[in-house]
Every structure is written in structure tokens, then in C-alpha cells.
Amino acid sequence: MIKFLDLQKQYQSIKPEIDQAIADIVNKCEFVGGEAVKNFETNFAAFQNAEHCISVGNGTDALEIALAAFGFDRGSEVLVPANTFFASVEAIVSAGLMPIFCGCRRDDHTLDVQDAAKRITSKTVAIMPVHLYGHPCDMNEILSLASTHGLKVVEDCAQAHAAEYKGRRVGSIGDIGCFSFYPGKNLGAYGDGGAIVTNNGDLAVRCRMIANHGGVSKYDHEFCGRNSRLDGIQASVLNVKLKHLPNWTETRIQVAKAYDDALAGVDGIEVPLRQNWARHVYHLYVIRVGDRDGLKVKLAERDIQTGIHYPIALPSLAAFADHPQANADMFACEQDKHLLSLPMGDHLSTQDALEVAAAINT
Ligand SMILES: *Cc1c(COP(=O)(O)O)cnc(C)c1O
């Protein structure tokens, strides 16, 4: 059996460290706030090369809080790729803003900046590049579009911990960046978690206040915010796992390289492009294939688990039935027909990748 994801295997490889970290929190009863949370914010800011890190309850909250921090007028428009996880768009709606779906590039699957440019109106206030599957977006193009039109740049980095654009870690290349620590992400907690990073001190304070009932200190509420926190146990787990992330990322890159080489000559299979300026961290390894559903079944018969990211184009979801772009078929987003995610993660070896490739070839 070649698993899509294997969190148990990873836990077994770091069990003593994790057990100790969790036991420390329970012994101290530092369940909310405390040293582990502070340390994680410091460690993660340094890791992503950002000045500030605000930990929050999950990645969706991170996006929603980051958007709210700008204080945009209700109904203002935010450009977002049509192929991403639902939460990118949901956060825009929850922040009282209007998502405008944009096309995706066929080769590296990230936001098509030329297509986004055509969708700018007088109400557009922000653009949300999603570093989809772990491949960084073309940030120079996005920053130049943003500066021409006065847009804020909110990076969705939920799949892109340690990813780099031209040698720079994602997250603080734009105005603000949002991470998820959902267990299946490249850096995952043992529950929900998220973080916001930025080099803008004012935005950082604003985010912290929103996430902390509208104030920085207890009982001092300047406005109505919300409650969104990373808890002590999750922070302690993340502090342990952050130290292993460079190795785990290297493993993903090696597994991807094995797939690239082994699948290069296979008829009818397109491997994912990595732009030469990208450090792709392969949250997902997504191939394009004619009979996607057929291949998925055949691989399952050989005990090889695969995934589809994402099975329904966002504009076609029931949630957007009333959206002006509902059911729009204009995205060159073939995710609903031809994209297949192969097993990927630090639980795999290059030998596993060769076995998967051989099965695909057969
Ligand atoms: C996982 C994910 C999110 C949401 O993160 P949660 O922690 O699950 O709320 C947002 N955007 C993208 C692209 C994601 O993959």
C-alpha cells in the first residue's frame, strides 16, 4: 500500500520529542497563550523571514483576519484564482468582500496574472495569490500589477511553508501572508492552527487585536473583534515539527524529482512544471492525464492512494450559485477532469515514487 498521507509514520519518527512537548504543556497547564505560543511566533517569523507572526486558530481565520485588518469598504472586490481550496474564497466572503474568480496558468497551476489584470474594476482593492500545491506564484508580476492599481497583496501560503520565490520565502513578499497548520499541511499541528506573517507593524497590531477580542491587553477592547488562537499544545507540537520541516521538505523535493524523471517519457502524462525561479515544496504533486478517473481507479486497484484537488471548480459550487461568475467556464482550469494528485509527503521514499510511476506506466 502506498498512502497519500501517513501522519502515524511521521509521529512514530519523532514520538519522544512530541510526547515530551505535549506533557510539558499539560504539566504547566499553559493551555492558552504562554511560552510555547510566544516561542512559536518568534520561530516561525524567523523561518519565513518575516518581522511579525500572529498565531491564530486556523488558516481560514488567518485569511479572514488579514483581510479585515485593511478595513476595506464592504463589497470591495478581491481577485482570487478559480482553482484553490474553498477557504481562500470563503474568507473573502466572510470578511464582507466580493471574490472575483481569475484563471490559472496551465503549466504551474498558479494565478494567471494577465487574466487577473482584465478583471480589475474601480471596486478592486486586493489580490490573493495562492501558492497552490506548494509552487510560489509569480510575485514580481503580481506586485507590479498591485502597485499600478493600488491593490493590497494577501498571500495564501497554506500549502507553501518554506516555499521560495527567487530565493525569498513566501508570506511577506506581499503585504501579508497566511498559513494553515491543519494536520495534513507540510507543517501540520495535532489539531487546527494558523498564522499570519507580515513586515508591516501596523497591520500586525491590527491582526493581533482582531484575533484577541479587539484589544491588545485583557479587558481593553477598542472594537469588536473575535477570538482566534493557536493553543499551547498545538504550538508545542509545531515548535518540535518546525525543526524537522527542512528535512521533510527536502524529502518531498527528492520524491518529486523521482516522479519527474520516471514519468518524463510516459505517453499521455504531463508532470507539474517548476518555474526556474521557484522553490516548489510539493504540498501536492499533481499530474495532468486524459482519463484521470480511469487512472485513479487502476491505481487504487494496486493499493496506490491518489487525490483530486479540486474536484469541482469553485464558480460551479452551490455556495456561489448567486455569484455573477456562477458556472463560468472560462478558466482553463481542468481540475474537474484531468488533474490527479499522486502520493506525496515525508512518509515516502524515492523508491515509492518509482513504484507509483511504474504502475502508471503499466
Ligand atoms: C488548507 C487551506 C486553507 C485553510 O486552512 P485551514 O487551516 O484548514 O482553515 C486555506 N487555503 C488553502 C489554499 C488551503 O490549502
Side-chain angles (χ1 to χ4, degrees):
M1 157 88 84
I2 300 188
K3 291 188 178 172
F4 191 70
L5 178 72
D6 191 347
L7 294 176
Q8 281 171 336
K9 183 171 174 188
Q10 188 193 65
Y11 170 55
Q12 289 307 321
S13 76
I14 53 171
K15 187 175 188 307
E17 286 176 276
I18 292 284
D19 291 355
Q20 184 64 53
I22 294 176
D24 282 351
I25 299 296
V26 177
N27 280 324
K28 290 191 283 188
C29 293
E30 256 183 9
F31 299 119
V32 168
E35 211 181 338
V37 175
K38 269 211 185 72
N39 287 344
F40 178 68
E41 290 182 342
T42 305
N43 295 340
F44 194 66
F47 185 80
Q48 288 298 143
N49 266 326
E51 280 173 44
H52 309 278
C53 170
I54 303 96
S55 60
V56 295
N58 56 67
T60 312
D61 280 4
L63 288 165
E64 192 183 327
I65 291 166
L67 286 162
F70 291 99
F72 297 129
D73 290 341
R74 272 192 92 76
S76 298
E77 295 174 0
V78 180
L79 304 167
V80 64
N83 188 28
T84 176
F85 179 55
F86 182 68
S88 312
V89 185
E90 186 181 35
I92 296 170
V93 175
S94 302
L97 306 168
M98 176 71 174
I100 300 297
F101 296 110
C102 304
C104 304
R105 308 208 300 203
R106 196 178 188 284
D107 52 6
D108 64 24
H109 302 289
T110 63
L111 181 73
D112 180 338
V113 188
Q114 270 83 43
D115 184 78
K118 291 185 213 144
R119 301 182 192 281
I120 293 175
T121 71
S122 59
K123 291 169 88 178
T124 313
V125 292
I127 182 165
M128 183 186 285
V130 180
H131 306 301
L132 197 72
Y133 307 153
H135 190 294
C137 293
D138 196 338
M139 291 306 291
N140 280 355
E141 271 195 43
I142 287 165
L143 294 181
S144 115
L145 183 74
S147 83
T148 305
H149 297 274
L151 312 180
K152 302 298 181 189
V153 179
V154 179
E155 296 177 56
D156 183 339
C157 310
Q159 305 186 354
H161 319 73
E164 290 173 13
Y165 173 76
K166 298 194 171 165
R168 285 181 68 189
R169 291 264 157 108
V170 298
S172 56
I173 302 174
D175 293 285
I176 199 160
C178 302
F179 289 83
S180 163
F181 306 120
Y182 177 78
K185 301 290 160 103
N186 288 28
L187 178 62
Y190 282 15
D192 275 313
I196 299 165
V197 301
T198 180
N199 290 336
N200 180 324
D202 293 338
L203 274 183
V205 171
R206 190 77 193 163
C207 288
R208 195 165 299 280
M209 290 174 80
I210 294 170
N212 185 45
H213 302 298
V216 274
S217 51
K218 209 169 187 181
Y219 305 127
D220 176 19
H221 309 282
E222 292 186 26
F223 56 88
C224 290
R226 59 194 289 177
N227 170 17
S228 184
R229 316 186 260 242
L230 183 72
D231 68 67
I233 288 179
Q234 301 313 328
S236 75
V237 166
L238 289 169
N239 277 324
V240 169
K241 290 184 64 172
L242 186 58
K243 288 185 268 168
H244 296 276
L245 186 58
N247 280 339
W248 290 335
T249 304
E250 199 47 48
T251 299
R252 286 175 183 270
I253 291 170
Q254 293 306 320
V255 170
K257 190 166 183 326
Y259 276 140
D260 283 348
D261 294 345
L263 293 172
V266 180
D267 210 25
I269 303 287
E270 251 180 78
V271 300
L273 179 84
R274 181 185 62 77
Q275 303 283 0
N276 57 15
W277 38 256
R279 182 174 196 240
H280 189 342
V281 295
Y282 296 101
H283 174 60
L284 295 169
Y285 187 93
V286 179
I287 61 169
R288 180 177 276 114
V289 53
D291 182 12
R292 187 269 312 276
D293 296 332
L295 179 60
K296 191 176 198 325
V297 169
K298 291 287 180 197
L299 291 175
E301 284 167 4
R302 288 168 169 75
D303 271 346
I304 296 170
Q305 299 179 337
T306 56
I308 297 175
H309 301 89
Y310 292 86
I312 305 171
L314 294 179
S316 302
L317 287 168
F320 301 117
D322 295 331
H323 190 283
Q325 291 172 293
N327 296 308
D329 183 21
M330 57 195 188
F331 300 108
C333 273
E334 304 160 283
Q335 72 274 16
D336 48 350
K337 293 185 203 72
H338 300 300
L339 299 183
L340 184 68
S341 308
L342 302 183
M344 175 48 81
D346 54 273
H347 63 294
L348 297 175
S349 64
T350 53
Q351 189 53 43
D352 294 322
L354 296 182
E355 272 178 49
V356 174
I360 290 172
N361 209 355
T362 308

